[in-house]
Amino acid sequence: MAIAACVLAVISAFFVPPDEKYLEYIDFKTLGILFSLMAITAGLQRMGVFEEISRGLFNRVKNIRRLTIMLILLCFFFSMVITNDVALITFVPFTVVLFDMLGREQTEKLLIPVVVLQTIAANLGSMLTPVGNPQNLYLYGKSGMGFFEFIQLMLPYTALSLAMLLLGGFLVGSVGNREISVSLSAKNQDKNVGRLIMYAVLFCICILAVLRVIGFEFAFAVTLCAVAIIDTRVLKRVDYSLLLTFIGFFIFIGNMGRITAFSDLIRGFVSDNEVLTAVIASQVISNVPAALLLSDFTSDIPALIVGTNIGGLGTLIASMASLISYKFISQKKNLSNGKYVFWFTFANIIFLMALLLLYIILQQT
């Protein structure tokens, strides 16, 4: 996606030669906060914080049904804070290990539907908060909405998603439900309390920047300096390709906005159809590029927030985070990639239709 964004930026530069306005295209606030959050979550992940929390919870699980629901809820709630892709990178491999411990029969029967629901949970849990996924962070800043105003906007969709996920987890977990004894021993994790406190403080600073209490420049500078001095290895784990994707699309969209014919055409499509346009666009180019592409051609950013979050459901590329789960499943030799894609698409369509129906109902009330 980063390569595509850069290619589009270069092509657009032939129509609008580089000038001083190029710097005005780039939303440095989004990039600064996004970098800071990625560095902090990468540091916490490297220390094994999230895995340690999940290990403590799983040691109390007594049957397959509860295990299934717990795995889904971990992705749902953690994605609100550490983003959907980090939640999946953390908990899907953990899920694979757990089912390997339960035996081949349980793996072949339940692993695919559980991972499908985990993926949906991460994509839908992340939509509640501005920091849950990259497009939310960008659109939140562009909208000028308050933090709790954003949450209020997405709360009905998140509540319905949670109810459906609990039902789905109950039904999937009931297939072959039996008593189990899961006991996971602690790994040799980084126990540096000082470093853990540092990341907790940095996260609070980033949230203050998101809340517009302090400037993003301060949050970025403090995070970069602290990580560079105390935990340099984390800088290698930041997703720089995502940052490059944002920059490429910022330039492309900025240039296209200066071409009257293109600008008028896009506005004609988007106007009063933000949600549906965002959902459709997300199926083809994924929801982060869709948010970047459409945001300059509508003033109804809240509708675009709803559309790009709902639009993360559907195809395998509607949310790029979904490819993370697919990658882990494809590495399991005894599981069918085709079966995963089938169940993924089937479940995503159900959730997508339900959330679109909720949007229609809310619009009419």
Side-chain angles (χ1 to χ4, degrees):
M1 191 59 70
I3 295 175
C6 291
V7 169
L8 288 173
V10 171
I11 292 174
S12 69
F14 286 100
F15 297 93
V16 182
D19 57 22
E20 67 278 359
K21 289 188 176 181
Y22 268 50
L23 282 178
E24 298 176 9
Y25 298 158
I26 300 175
D27 186 343
F28 289 102
K29 180 177 181 179
T30 297
L31 295 177
I33 295 177
L34 186 59
F35 170 86
S36 301
L37 289 170
M38 287 193 294
I40 293 165
T41 53
L44 292 171
Q45 187 180 30
R46 194 179 73 80
M47 293 181 68
V49 172
F50 311 125
E51 190 172 325
E52 193 66 29
I53 292 172
S54 58
R55 183 176 290 106
L57 292 172
F58 289 133
N59 284 337
R60 296 172 174 80
V61 171
K62 301 302 180 183
N63 59 53
I64 293 291
R65 186 188 296 122
R66 290 182 181 177
L67 176 64
T68 298
I69 293 174
M70 182 72 72
L71 289 166
I72 294 168
L73 292 182
L74 278 170
C75 287
F76 184 79
F77 287 109
F78 268 92
S79 67
M80 298 176 183
V81 180
I82 64 175
T83 73
N84 51 351
D85 54 345
V86 175
L88 292 174
I89 289 172
T90 301
F91 297 117
V92 170
F94 198 72
T95 300
V96 173
V97 171
L98 281 171
F99 274 93
D100 282 344
M101 293 173 59
L102 295 174
R104 182 171 179 175
E105 180 183 354
Q106 295 294 337
T107 298
E108 293 179 349
K109 185 186 299 182
L110 295 176
L111 183 57
I112 284 179
V114 169
V115 171
V116 165
L117 288 175
Q118 280 186 299
T119 306
I120 294 173
N123 286 330
L124 294 181
S126 66
M127 69 182 174
L128 180 64
T129 66
V131 298
N133 54 56
Q135 81 269 8
N136 275 5
L137 185 60
Y138 168 66
L139 293 174
Y140 168 75
K142 194 173 184 66
S143 69
M145 299 172 67
F147 187 84
F148 292 105
E149 186 182 358
F150 186 101
I151 290 178
Q152 185 178 15
L153 171 68
M154 298 309 302
L155 186 58
Y157 305 97
T158 308
L160 176 60
S161 300
L162 177 58
M164 294 180 66
L165 285 166
L166 287 172
L167 176 60
F170 180 86
L171 294 175
V172 170
S174 296
V175 177
N177 184 44
R178 62 178 176 83
E179 295 296 310
I180 58 173
S181 178
V182 180
S183 181
L184 299 173
S185 57
K187 293 183 178 180
N188 293 323
Q189 304 288 4
D190 187 344
K191 302 296 184 180
N192 191 315
V193 177
R195 188 176 295 136
L196 180 61
I197 293 174
M198 178 195 77
Y199 282 121
V201 171
L202 290 176
F203 182 76
C204 291
I205 290 173
C206 283
I207 294 300
L208 290 175
V210 172
L211 292 172
R212 307 184 185 101
V213 175
I214 62 175
F216 80 91
E217 300 92 343
F218 176 76
F220 170 74
V222 170
T223 301
L224 179 59
C225 292
V227 172
I229 294 171
I230 299 175
D231 202 3
T232 310
R233 288 174 291 181
V234 165
L235 293 176
K236 298 179 181 179
R237 303 179 66 154
V238 172
D239 187 358
Y240 295 103
S241 65
L242 179 60
L243 299 176
L244 188 60
T245 299
F246 268 79
I247 294 172
F249 273 108
F250 283 147
I251 294 173
F252 170 71
I253 295 162
N255 284 338
M256 292 298 97
R258 293 167 67 180
I259 301 174
T260 304
F262 179 86
S263 179
D264 291 344
L265 178 64
I266 296 296
R267 282 194 176 90
F269 277 114
V270 179
S271 181
D272 298 324
N273 296 294
E274 285 83 2
V275 171
L276 186 58
T277 304
V279 169
I280 294 173
S282 297
Q283 305 309 304
V284 182
I285 63 175
S286 87
N287 53 1
V288 173
L292 297 174
L293 177 63
L294 300 176
S295 61
D296 274 2
F297 303 103
T298 178
S299 59
D300 193 354
I301 301 299
L304 202 57
I305 291 171
V306 173
T308 52
N309 277 293
I310 294 176
L313 298 166
T315 64
L316 198 57
I317 65 169
S319 171
M320 297 303 289
S322 299
L323 294 174
I324 294 171
S325 302
Y326 177 74
K327 177 182 177 181
F328 287 120
I329 289 296
S330 65
Q331 293 172 348
K332 295 287 293 181
K333 295 181 180 179
N334 58 329
L335 296 178
S336 167
N337 292 348
K339 181 180 178 181
Y340 178 84
V341 173
F342 170 80
W343 283 112
F344 177 89
T345 305
F346 177 74
N348 269 259
I349 289 174
I350 292 175
F351 277 83
L352 178 58
M353 292 299 103
L355 292 177
L356 280 174
L357 179 60
L358 176 60
Y359 169 74
I360 294 171
I361 293 172
L362 291 176
Q363 289 298 105
Q364 294 176 347
T365 56

